Amino acid sequence: MSADPHSTGLDASTHLLGAPRPKARLPASAAYIGGTALVLFAVFWVIDFYTSDRGSQRQGPFELLLDLDMTTLQNALGGVAQVIVAVLGIAITVVSIVVQLASTRYTPRIADMFFRDKTNLTMMGFFVVACIDAVWVSLAVGGKHVPRATVIFTGLMVTGSLLLLVPYFAYVFDFLDPEKVILRLAYQVLEGTTGRGKRDDLVVRQAETAAGIEHLADVAVNAVAQKDKVIASHAVAALRAVLGKYLESKRRLPPAWFEIGERIRKNPEFIALAPDSLAEIQRQKVWLEWKTLRHFRSTFAESLIHLPEMSHVMAIETRYVGESALAAGDRPVIDVVIKFFNTYVRTALNAKDVRACYNILHQYRQLAERLLAERFDDLALEIGRHFVYYGQTALAMNLGFVTETSAYDLGTLCEHAFSRKVPCHDSLLRLFLQVDQETEQENGTQEQTLRGIRKAQLKLATFYLLQDAKPHARLIFEDMRRERPERMNSIRAELMAISTKEFWEVTDRGINFDYLDEAQRRKLDEFFGWFG
């Protein structure tokens, strides 16, 4: 592939799984604000000191500042206690509201993450300590004793609380940024799989990993329901990135990790599975991949209803999972990915969403191309059979364009297989010639679909002729030799009329199915010469 396909969806998740973004620096922000306040106060204090009547003053500006009297302290400290209590109330109110809103919108795990964060606990503890200290010192000043050190310390605590309030709010909003919440959840899942920072109990690690995946999936589903494509894309990309990292380290995990214990069996993704299916998942060591892709499917189904553009993203991310499994040499995971691609197609067909089928088949075909390149011929051939099956199923549902799309994608697979001299090429070609078996009627949807399939066949035939593979082109000719001449002539005219490679509408494929370059047009004449 000319460019790393994973880069499009991994910008955020790679950053997360590599080096996390730095947190907001509370001390630096507070120091900047405090320094500004101190400088301004000192300048005007000195100006007042030297411009006032100093005849009766025998102290310097600093000594005068610390010359505390009992009456002033008693009046001031009561107000200080009220201020710090108000600061604590403001902090608790704002934090409670934003955490609750974020938890409701994305995932309940946010509240747990918030109160596990050391910075949040430290700041809330600091506000409480400052509040208690201010109340106590306001009660302690009385009589003739002036506790200067205690008062100065209390003043510093109150000052620190006021200085940290605004930077802390900035930190909270930064902490609750959806993208960063997603990245933290992904880190927690990875820590569960690798054991970093976790207990050695594999059962507990399995449960924590499963919970982390569920929370990431909740973020994705909720974002889709709210038509927030950016957040949904980040959540799904993080899930896929987690699987990619997991597949890289999977071989180093102990055998007990792959056993489906009682806690995992009770998980919603496994509790309804038949015992044989559950045993097969355990045998193939794919329980984590299965669970993650089940959540992919849920997000995909939700996207068909609320955010159709997201369904294509789900297909892309699923292909990336398959490519990661291919890179890791994990064939059982590739089998699972193929099964979920088939599920996507079936779901889209049931919803009669032609555009979703069009996009899914595009990603499905690209996965098959990678399998051909890596010599997984049997899997690529299996995908070819699925293309035929779903193409014919779509035709029965009067979704003829899906059938045409499957024919064009199968034709492209045949070209790749022939170019790479893959042994399964001939089998793929035979599958390709089966797509039109259900399109014998000459009117309505099936007539239009048959014309589309014939165009795909003619396009592949011109490819074979350009490669001096006349026997393969003759097989295609034998499939259509009994066609009515007027139909074939009109199809030929339509193909010759297409002059631009780029399709005239915006599509992710970007190409015009029916486009033939000049060399193919010349071979088209040769092919039609066989009709006599």
Side-chain angles (χ1 to χ4, degrees):
M1 303 174 70
S2 58
D4 183 8
H6 301 236
S7 63
T8 58
L10 263 180
D11 293 341
S13 48
T14 300
H15 182 77
L16 154 85
L17 303 178
R21 298 178 182 179
K23 294 181 178 179
R25 298 180 179 179
L26 283 172
S29 302
Y32 176 77
I33 298 174
T36 303
L38 179 62
V39 169
L40 291 174
F41 176 80
V43 168
F44 285 97
W45 174 263
V46 171
I47 291 174
D48 285 338
F49 179 82
Y50 285 105
T51 57
S52 62
D53 182 10
R54 296 186 295 135
S56 60
Q57 296 181 11
R58 297 178 181 179
Q59 299 171 307
F62 185 70
E63 291 84 358
L64 183 62
L65 180 64
L66 297 179
D67 186 14
L68 307 175
D69 65 88
M70 189 64 62
T71 303
T72 303
L73 280 178
Q74 288 178 336
N75 294 331
L77 289 176
V80 168
Q82 293 178 5
V83 168
I84 193 61
V85 170
V87 169
L88 177 61
I90 292 172
I92 292 176
T93 302
V94 172
V95 167
S96 300
I97 291 173
V98 297
V99 170
Q100 180 62 32
L101 289 175
S103 299
T104 302
R105 182 171 183 182
Y106 298 114
T107 170
R109 186 75 175 264
I110 287 180
D112 179 66
M113 294 170 56
F114 183 86
F115 289 108
R116 287 176 180 268
D117 184 70
K118 293 181 180 179
T119 301
N120 289 314
L121 292 177
T122 300
M123 289 303 305
M124 297 303 294
F126 179 80
F127 289 143
V128 172
V129 170
C131 181
I132 293 173
D133 186 74
V135 172
W136 283 355
V137 78
S138 67
L139 299 174
V141 175
K144 297 180 180 179
H145 178 61
V146 179
R148 284 183 172 82
T150 305
V151 171
I152 291 173
F153 175 75
T154 301
L156 293 176
M157 290 286 285
V158 173
T159 302
S161 299
L162 293 172
L163 289 176
L164 288 171
L165 186 60
V166 173
Y168 177 58
F169 285 165
Y171 174 83
V172 169
F173 287 114
D174 182 71
F175 181 88
L176 297 176
D177 178 78
E179 182 180 344
K180 294 181 181 178
V181 169
I182 290 168
L183 302 186
R184 291 189 192 95
L185 287 171
Y187 268 125
Q188 291 178 8
V189 175
L190 279 179
E191 288 175 352
T193 60
T194 60
R196 292 196 302 268
K198 300 288 181 181
R199 286 167 285 186
D200 293 333
D201 190 342
L202 286 176
V203 176
V204 174
R205 281 172 49 193
Q206 284 180 332
E208 292 178 350
T209 301
I213 290 174
E214 289 168 2
H215 288 299
L216 273 174
D218 285 344
V219 174
V221 172
N222 291 336
V224 168
Q226 297 169 18
K227 301 184 184 299
D228 192 338
K229 184 178 178 181
V230 174
I231 301 303
S233 299
H234 281 311
V236 175
L239 280 170
R240 184 256 302 161
V242 165
L243 275 187
K245 292 290 184 179
Y246 170 75
L247 287 168
E248 292 174 5
S249 59
K250 186 176 177 180
R251 294 179 180 178
R252 298 191 292 270
L253 293 172
W257 169 262
F258 304 103
E259 296 179 4
I260 302 178
E262 191 64 26
R263 295 179 69 172
I264 297 298
R265 288 175 187 270
K266 293 180 179 178
N267 201 270
E269 278 66 49
F270 299 99
I271 194 170
L273 285 178
D276 291 344
S277 299
L278 205 59
E280 183 65 14
I281 290 174
Q282 179 170 295
R283 186 187 68 80
Q284 294 184 337
K285 302 179 179 180
V286 294
W287 72 265
L288 185 63
E289 296 89 340
W290 176 273
K291 178 177 180 60
T292 305
L293 289 171
R294 280 289 292 262
H295 286 298
F296 272 33
R297 180 198 169 279
S298 299
T299 307
F300 174 82
E302 192 76 17
S303 68
L304 291 181
I305 302 171
H306 298 288
L307 192 61
E309 298 86 353
M310 192 64 195
S311 62
H312 191 192
V313 176
M314 299 307 304
I316 294 172
E317 298 294 354
T318 305
R319 173 169 66 86
Y320 289 164
V321 173
E323 291 175 354
S324 296
L326 189 59
D330 198 329
R331 182 188 174 106
V333 177
I334 302 174
D335 292 333
V336 173
V337 168
I338 291 174
K339 184 173 293 186
F340 275 92
F341 258 115
N342 294 335
T343 306
Y344 294 163
V345 178
R346 172 66 70 180
T347 304
L349 286 175
N350 290 342
K352 295 188 180 300
D353 193 327
V354 174
R355 183 177 182 86
C357 291
Y358 172 83
N359 291 326
I360 296 165
L361 292 174
H362 180 44
Q363 300 303 320
Y364 204 3
R365 191 207 73 232
Q366 290 184 68
L367 176 62
E369 291 173 2
R370 286 295 305 274
L371 292 171
L372 286 173
E374 299 296 331
R375 301 299 182 179
F376 283 84
D377 298 4
D378 57 328
L379 292 179
L381 194 59
E382 179 184 344
I383 292 175
R385 295 190 189 97
H386 297 323
F387 270 66
V388 174
Y389 172 77
Y390 288 113
Q392 294 178 350
T393 301
L395 186 65
M397 301 173 67
N398 292 323
L399 301 176
F401 183 71
V402 178
T403 309
E404 294 179 47
T405 303
S406 66
Y408 276 102
D409 283 330
L410 260 177
T412 303
L413 275 182
C414 289
E415 292 181 13
H416 277 269
F418 183 86
S419 300
R420 295 179 180 275
K421 296 180 171 53
V422 176
C424 71
H425 164 263
D426 290 352
S427 298
L428 278 174
L429 178 56
R430 286 192 292 271
L431 286 173
F432 174 71
L433 296 177
Q434 293 176 17
V435 178
D436 66 336
Q437 286 182 354
E438 305 296 328
T439 56
E440 299 302 325
Q441 298 181 19
E442 299 184 5
N443 49 46
T445 301
Q446 291 191 331
E447 162 66 14
Q448 184 63 33
T449 303
L450 179 59
R451 296 176 69 86
I453 295 173
R454 289 293 184 235
K455 291 176 183 178
Q457 291 176 334
L458 289 170
K459 188 173 183 178
L460 181 59
T462 60
F463 167 81
Y464 286 137
L465 290 176
L466 284 172
Q467 303 297 323
D468 287 330
K470 285 189 177 182
H472 298 307
R474 293 291 301 189
L475 286 176
I476 297 175
F477 169 74
E478 291 299 328
D479 187 75
M480 63 176 69
R481 69 182 303 170
R482 295 179 180 83
E483 281 283 358
R484 292 183 289 108
E486 57 271 19
R487 174 190 281 167
M488 293 305 299
N489 286 331
S490 65
I491 292 175
R492 177 187 182 186
E494 290 175 7
L495 286 173
M496 298 297 286
I498 302 297
S499 59
T500 57
K501 185 176 182 179
E502 295 290 330
F503 190 56
W504 51 77
E505 297 175 5
V506 176
T507 66
D508 293 299
R509 298 184 185 228
I511 62 171
N512 194 329
F513 277 163
D514 299 337
Y515 174 76
L516 301 176
D517 59 28
E518 289 301 321
Q520 288 178 301
R521 288 168 183 255
R522 290 191 294 270
K523 293 300 181 180
L524 188 63
D525 292 335
E526 178 181 343
F527 183 87
F528 270 87
W530 294 348
F531 284 95

